[in-house]
Amino acid sequence: MTTPSSSTGPFASTFTSNSAARTDAERSAVLADPGFGNHFTDHMFLAEWTPDAGWQDGRVVPYGPLLLDPATAVLHYAQEIFEGLKAYAHADGSVWGFRPEANAARLARSAHRLALPELPEDWFLGSIRELVTADRAWVPTGEERSLYLRPFMFASEVFLGVRPSQHVTYSVIASPAGAYFRAGLKPVDIWLSETFTRAGAGGTGAAKCGGNYAASLLPQQEAFAHGCEQVAFLDSVENRWVEELGGMNLYFVQADGSIVTPELTGSILEGITRDSIMTLARDLGHEVVERKVGIDEWRDGVASGQITEVFACGTAAVVTPVGRLAWAGGEVDSAQGEIGKVTAELRAALVDIQYGRAEDRHGWMTQLV
Ligand code: PLP
Ligand code: COI
């Protein structure tokens, strides 16, 4: 049955409930061990854009396949962007998003770079509120559990000419999530890609578009072949400056307690976790420096003890310690199998806010339901 949506969104959206929704028992079985990215909730949000009508037809509908004409532009020219954020269940039953306004702003920046239409912030927030309201029962509780939200937008015009699409579809899907890395809080091993870069100067590195991830998959395969879970990318000009991992930003803890992260260059994704860690680290008394970090500084710094901890951060990975950095011909290990003290301190400060266990001093949490 389709009814006007009960929530007071910025758009007159409709709600069609899923008559084939999973039973309580089926949902509980999924929530007991969700993993990451494996399972999806009973509904999804959809909206359409054309140059004449703007954004329209917001709707929550049963989760299911999209029927695409083979000539749909996104399948050929990859005009697509996405976001990733999490909804957290708090002890009182309320559900909260972590800085969703920052995701809305980044989606707008990505849209600009990919010549897609900007989605207004109130549409972004309205779409995730409506989906989380419809699928409230899918928000997991418990340690490290959350509902991962994946808003995305793509060129849905049926046309093979190379120009910005005149029909664009926006959607949000939701996936109950546990830890991104199966091993939990064990340090991840990183393969240094010296052959491939993720993003070039003037390219799309700072946008969250599917093409960047496509470019990271071959080096990611190389990483797996070398027993590593993630790839570290260097800049494309000098092949010298550390940028980020395929899906996470990087931090280096120095022997004096200060923390360093590669400065934004235009080819690094501006992570919301990265930005939040900067504030939390300062709150905890650490000096934080954004600057260029050379790959030799990483290798030599770990070997000499100047770098005491390395960690990766992002929505999916939260804060994850980095262990080995391996490359063709050598490796260094900055963790020896354990999460470092500063990494653990920053991780706890972040997740305590996200799960409502610590005061939200920076006004980062937005109630969704
Ligand atoms: N860098 C890349 C390439 C990513 O895919 C992500 C994940 O979204 C990040 C960094 C971290 O960004 P955020 O903290 O906003 O999730
Ligand atoms: C996220 O953290 O939201 C991402 O998009 C990273 C991806 C590797 C899952």
Side-chain angles (χ1 to χ4, degrees):
M1 190 174 73
T2 300
T3 53
S5 169
S6 56
S7 107
T8 51
F11 36 81
S13 63
T14 57
F15 174 64
T16 309
S17 69
N18 188 343
S19 56
R22 260 68 52 90
T23 62
D24 289 350
E26 286 167 338
R27 192 177 56 243
S28 297
V30 169
L31 297 186
D33 183 21
F36 183 88
N38 300 313
H39 303 282
F40 301 93
T41 62
D42 289 318
H43 297 89
M44 61 186 188
F45 183 92
L46 284 167
E48 314 296 331
W49 176 93
T50 61
D52 293 340
W55 285 106
Q56 56 174 335
D57 199 14
R59 57 206 194 273
V60 174
V61 295
Y63 183 94
L66 300 170
L67 189 63
L68 293 182
D69 187 288
T72 303
V74 66
L75 300 177
H76 303 271
Y77 309 126
Q79 194 190 6
E80 187 268 356
I81 56 175
F82 67 96
E83 271 303 323
L85 70 164
K86 286 175 171 172
Y88 305 88
H90 286 189
D92 66 358
S94 55
V95 180
W96 298 72
F98 180 72
R99 305 184 69 184
E101 302 81 6
N103 294 93
R106 188 170 63 191
L107 187 74
R109 294 197 298 276
S110 300
H112 177 72
R113 181 63 185 84
L114 273 286
L116 284 161
E118 288 184 16
L119 184 79
E121 183 189 281
D122 57 352
W123 271 76
F124 183 89
L125 294 178
S127 65
I128 60 174
R129 273 208 174 95
E130 293 202 359
L131 183 59
V132 175
T133 301
D135 286 333
R136 167 67 188 86
W138 284 93
V139 184
T141 51
E143 201 62 13
E144 295 287 320
R145 298 280 160 88
S146 60
L147 185 66
Y148 182 78
L149 300 169
R150 172 54 66 87
F152 62 106
M153 188 193 291
F154 62 93
S156 45
E157 184 179 1
V158 177
F159 180 56
L160 289 186
V162 181
R163 59 145 171 74
S165 183
Q166 302 298 292
H167 192 287
V168 173
T169 299
Y170 168 73
S171 179
V172 189
I173 55 173
S175 173
Y180 184 72
F181 293 110
R182 273 269 158 206
L185 262 190
K186 276 195 46 204
V188 292
D189 293 339
I190 309 285
W191 173 251
L192 175 67
S193 180
E194 294 176 284
T195 319
F196 303 108
T197 57
R198 171 186 170 277
T204 55
K208 204 161 166 62
C209 62
N212 292 342
Y213 298 80
S216 76
L217 297 179
L218 180 60
Q220 178 73 52
Q221 254 178 355
E222 250 183 36
F224 288 143
H226 289 90
C228 297
E229 289 107 318
Q230 281 281 312
V231 186
F233 290 102
L234 302 176
D235 76 288
S236 64
V237 178
E238 294 181 67
N239 214 32
R240 172 177 173 200
W241 306 107
V242 178
E243 298 227 304
E244 60 180 317
L245 306 184
M248 290 146 227
N249 295 116
L250 280 167
Y251 269 99
F252 300 88
V253 181
Q254 311 284 303
D256 66 2
S258 65
I259 70 170
V260 177
T261 191
E263 69 186 16
L264 300 174
T265 55
S267 49
I268 295 177
L269 189 80
E270 195 174 345
I272 294 156
T273 318
R274 172 189 182 276
D275 183 72
S276 308
I277 292 286
M278 226 176 275
T279 301
L280 292 175
R282 289 190 177 117
D283 287 353
L284 291 166
H286 297 277
E287 188 192 350
V288 182
V289 184
E290 286 179 273
R291 63 165 168 80
K292 287 186 168 186
V293 177
I295 187 60
D296 286 343
E297 180 179 350
W298 184 348
R299 293 195 269 228
D300 299 346
V302 171
S304 72
Q306 172 59 31
I307 292 174
T308 53
E309 298 170 37
V310 182
F311 65 86
C313 65
T315 297
V318 194
V319 170
T320 298
V322 169
R324 283 186 315 133
L325 170 71
W327 61 91
E331 62 175 56
V332 286
D333 187 342
S334 49
Q336 286 82 42
E338 288 191 1
I339 184 167
K341 190 166 155 286
V342 176
T343 305
E345 177 191 33
L346 290 167
R347 182 179 218 284
L350 178 68
V351 297
D352 282 350
I353 293 172
Q354 292 172 330
Y355 287 90
R357 297 187 295 253
E359 189 193 344
D360 175 22
R361 291 175 45 204
H362 301 286
W364 283 338
M365 302 306 290
T366 294
Q367 189 166 4
L368 300 176
V369 183

